[in-house]
Amino acid sequence: MGRPVVLRRCLGPDEAFQSGRSFEDMIAISGRLQDGAVVNHLINWLSPMKERVTVVTGERGTFIADTATADLTLHRNGTAALEWESVSTFRGVSEGDVTRFAFPKREPLRSELEAFRDAVNGRPTLLSTMREAVHVLSVVEASLESASDDGRLIRMGQRAAV
């Protein structure tokens, strides 16, 4: 939290209503955080393939978190130079080691309910705070505002505080 979002472009929900429901079936959002990090979100309920991944790219590699299977994989940047000149132009950073992390996978609903129980009992929990929830809702509202106005740039830091 505390990192204002600049939404660069949102695909309008009117372009992605397919199921006859009164809410968006798909929205594509790209933006830049205050510290310069680029973010890109695709929320898609239209596809029969249900992909739930979060990709975080850093200077030494990329983490891929698959929230449907609870897998975490690190794709490290390589250290060996590509010798094939024409391919290196398209490939970008060379490929390094791939590590898939092993950790206990708990049933998500059980974890959520236990965290809620702990919060109610005043014990420490990793649940989101109300402030974090309000921040997420303000980003959602800004996304919908951008989408309804042909992808207009929205600067979150300049919006009225909730």
Side-chain angles (χ1 to χ4, degrees):
M1 203 161 123
R3 292 169 35 147
V5 177
V6 177
L7 298 174
R8 296 290 181 196
R9 170 98 174 110
C10 291
L11 171 70
D14 58 329
E15 300 173 60
F17 281 96
Q18 297 293 322
S19 67
R21 295 183 297 218
S22 61
F23 48 87
E24 302 76 29
D25 293 313
M26 185 171 113
I27 188 165
I29 305 166
S30 63
R32 183 176 302 272
L33 301 181
Q34 185 178 25
D35 64 3
V38 175
V39 295
N40 193 354
H41 300 281
L42 176 62
I43 294 90
N44 179 0
W45 290 98
L46 296 175
S47 170
M49 179 194 71
K50 300 305 178 208
E51 183 179 54
R52 305 285 185 262
V53 292
T54 301
V55 179
V56 178
T57 302
E59 59 189 52
R60 292 185 282 169
T62 300
F63 275 107
I64 300 177
D66 185 329
T67 56
T69 62
D71 290 327
L72 179 63
T73 307
L74 171 61
H75 296 260
R76 285 187 172 81
N77 294 343
T79 56
L82 270 168
E83 295 179 15
W84 189 3
E85 183 70 29
S86 60
V87 170
S88 67
T89 304
F90 296 105
R91 298 294 294 260
V93 176
S94 65
E95 297 173 12
D97 295 331
V98 176
T99 305
R100 189 164 164 193
F101 295 93
F103 53 87
K105 296 176 181 172
R106 300 188 64 220
E107 201 280 318
L109 182 57
R110 179 182 179 127
S111 298
E112 184 178 340
L113 291 172
E114 287 173 352
F116 180 75
R117 176 205 61 209
D118 292 346
V120 168
N121 290 328
R123 289 190 275 182
T125 179
L126 296 176
L127 288 176
S128 300
T129 65
M130 286 300 270
R131 183 177 299 231
E132 291 166 332
V134 168
H135 179 70
V136 167
L137 288 175
S138 69
V139 172
V140 169
E141 287 175 345
S143 301
L144 294 174
E145 180 182 336
S146 174
S148 68
D149 194 8
D150 198 30
R152 179 175 54 87
L153 177 70
I154 305 291
R155 294 187 183 278
M156 294 291 298
Q158 297 173 354
R159 294 172 55 92
V162 177

